Amino acid sequence: MDRLLSTQVAVVLLLGLLRVEGRCELNRTEEHCACYNLSEESVGSIIQCLPATVVEFWGGELQSFAGLPIRDPDAATIDMLGSLLVRKIVFGDLLVPEELLARVLRFFSYTQVRELAFERCAFQGRGDWRQMAGQELPILALRFHRVSSAPLAGREQDLSLLGSWLRALQELALTGCRLTHLPCAIGRLLGALRSLDLAQNSLGDESLGAAFCGEAFPRLQALSLRRNRLSSYHGACRSLQRLPQLQHLDLSQNELLPAPGSSCRWPPSLQTFNLSGAGLDEVPAPLPPRLEVLDMSHNHLRAVDLSLRFLKRLLLSHNALRAAPSAAGCPALRSLSLDGNLLSELPWQELQRLREVAAAGNPFHCSCAGAGGLQALAGRGQLGQGWPQDYVCQSPPGYQGRLVEAVPVSVVQCRPAAIIVPICLLLALLGAAGAGCLLRARPGLARSCRGA
Ligand SMILES: *[C@@H]1O[C@H](CO)[C@@H](O)[C@H](O)[C@H]1NC(C)=O
Ligand SMILES: *[C@@H]1O[C@H](CO)[C@@H](O)[C@H](O)[C@H]1NC(C)=O
């Protein structure tokens, strides 16, 4: 009985931390199982989820389980846990007593669960994490979205008890959690972390400096700080310059002030930089020198002049550009987005060497060269989405509101000189020949000219 109970408790806790009364729905093709409204005693429904690799639990409450006696699993339970197929578990819309979490987390060490996600959950109280000391878990990715808990500050003790596990963690997301601080100790602990997503929090310039204190996150490759309260480009550079392996950085949707004359150097490893919607009215400097992808869309840029040798993809849509940037400083450029600017013409000859150009929603001047250049780019499949319906002429008046695609650019319309000059020449030659005939053969006019 004891063993049965302990097995049951283990399965239930793992596959939902509790007994499920609501329904579970398995999607076999996706190997995905979702359970809703967990409540009373019923393990039955959860059995359905056994073939799934992703199991989700939405709704319900866990407080009543916080007091359950949970013992160490026996050999049979350990076998059973090891044979579960589940790799990812999602908990959503739940109140989670931290006490309970602290007691069941170690059960995961017998499973092959790689990823654990909490969405819109509230962690309550404080758990006793001593049992986790020295425990290693197979979980490599941990995600919290819109989760509330006791503040992280001042919990270094708990964190260090989880140290053996956290030191191996590879991905962490703490998004939409109203985070204002991230203790430096966390970064020091997360020595293997490769990806950190802190989007949609309230981190300011100073808390960034504190979170990325020396030696924090030594292996970090991807960092998102999208939509926080950062305001200093220079400050962000100063805080992040010590991340030796950083490749992808997202600072989009912050209101950044550029820092003219800043001497800060970004990590040279940076390849992808997202400055979309960052309130920029000029290109900030310095930029990381080895960038391959730069997104500065949705800003207020009026002019862009870049020199980035390795840049492959440049996104400048939804700015206030009146002239396309010169591609000369970016010899490796392959893709350029210029949608929604104020461009009346494109340097289409220069753009021909790119693989992809997007320039929908600009007020095009449909001269023969302009319209013809765009049509030629489109003809070679170089224009991205939006062709032809979003490429509209603004001028000359005769073409206003017409699609660029519909502007006639045949030689007759566009380069009449190209046709008229040869025709005139021909006429002139014929005329000259005729006149010659007339002069030379005036007496025998009809005969001589027939012979010519
Ligand atoms: C399983 O998921 C796929 C893709 O989301 C969906 O098309 C299909 O209808 C689902 N099957 C069931 C039984 O819900
Ligand atoms: C940059 O971030 C925005 C969100 O702020 C996103 O929509 C966009 O796709 C990102 N750009 C790139 C190149 O990933």
Side-chain angles (χ1 to χ4, degrees), residues 26-30:
L26 175 70
N27 185 328
R28 273 184 192 276
T29 47
E30 294 223 303

Side-chain angles (χ1 to χ4, degrees), residues 81-286:
L81 292 175
S83 66
L84 290 175
L85 296 174
V86 60
R87 298 289 180 274
K88 173 176 176 179
I89 303 185
V90 180
F91 298 98
D93 293 326
L94 278 164
L95 283 175
V96 185
E98 198 182 292
E99 179 63 36
L100 183 64
L101 193 64
R103 285 158 63 205
V104 300
L105 203 54
R106 67 200 161 90
F107 280 74
F108 282 88
S109 61
Y110 305 108
T111 70
Q112 300 178 57
V113 174
R114 296 280 178 270
E115 184 174 347
L116 204 54
F118 296 88
E119 298 211 11
R120 295 193 304 256
C121 291
F123 290 98
Q124 290 181 318
R126 276 186 75 161
D128 173 0
W129 295 95
R130 276 174 302 184
Q131 285 189 344
M132 282 297 292
Q135 283 271 356
E136 290 178 15
L137 296 181
I139 299 166
L140 299 175
L142 198 51
R143 299 184 205 290
F144 301 90
H145 179 62
R146 292 176 62 191
V147 160
S148 62
S149 78
L152 285 170
R155 304 195 57 180
E156 286 77 5
Q157 174 73 28
D158 295 347
L159 287 169
S160 70
L161 288 169
L162 290 165
S164 318
W165 164 43
L166 293 178
R167 261 188 280 280
L169 199 67
Q170 294 181 0
E171 290 178 36
L172 174 65
L174 286 162
T175 54
C177 296
R178 299 190 185 156
L179 223 60
T180 52
H181 286 94
L182 192 66
C184 168
I186 292 192
R188 293 224 173 99
L189 200 57
L190 296 174
L193 204 71
R194 292 204 294 246
S195 165
L196 177 61
D197 187 351
L198 296 171
Q200 298 176 52
N201 282 295
S202 304
L203 297 169
D205 300 326
E206 275 171 27
S207 42
L208 198 63
F212 291 86
C213 58
E215 296 117 57
F217 305 107
R219 300 268 180 80
L220 202 62
Q221 294 176 7
L223 171 63
S224 173
L225 290 161
R226 177 168 54 87
R227 202 175 320 159
N228 272 274
R229 303 229 172 107
L230 305 179
S231 63
S232 167
Y233 183 79
H234 176 70
C237 178
R238 285 276 297 273
S239 302
L240 306 177
Q241 66 181 349
R242 283 182 303 265
L243 295 172
Q245 300 189 18
L246 193 64
Q247 293 174 13
H248 310 285
L249 176 59
D250 185 349
L251 296 181
S252 65
Q253 300 181 44
N254 287 282
E255 283 292 317
L256 296 177
L257 289 172
S262 162
S263 58
C264 176
R265 293 275 166 262
W266 290 97
S269 48
L270 261 179
Q271 292 170 6
T272 312
F273 199 8
N274 198 335
L275 290 169
S276 173
L280 302 171
D281 43 26
E282 58 187 88
V283 177

Side-chain angles (χ1 to χ4, degrees), residues 314-342:
L314 176 59
L315 296 103
L316 292 169
S317 28
H318 303 286
N319 277 285
L321 300 176
R322 290 181 186 278
S326 158
C330 307
L333 198 65
R334 290 285 162 270
S335 162
L336 176 63
S337 308
L338 295 164
D339 302 290
N341 277 282
L342 302 172

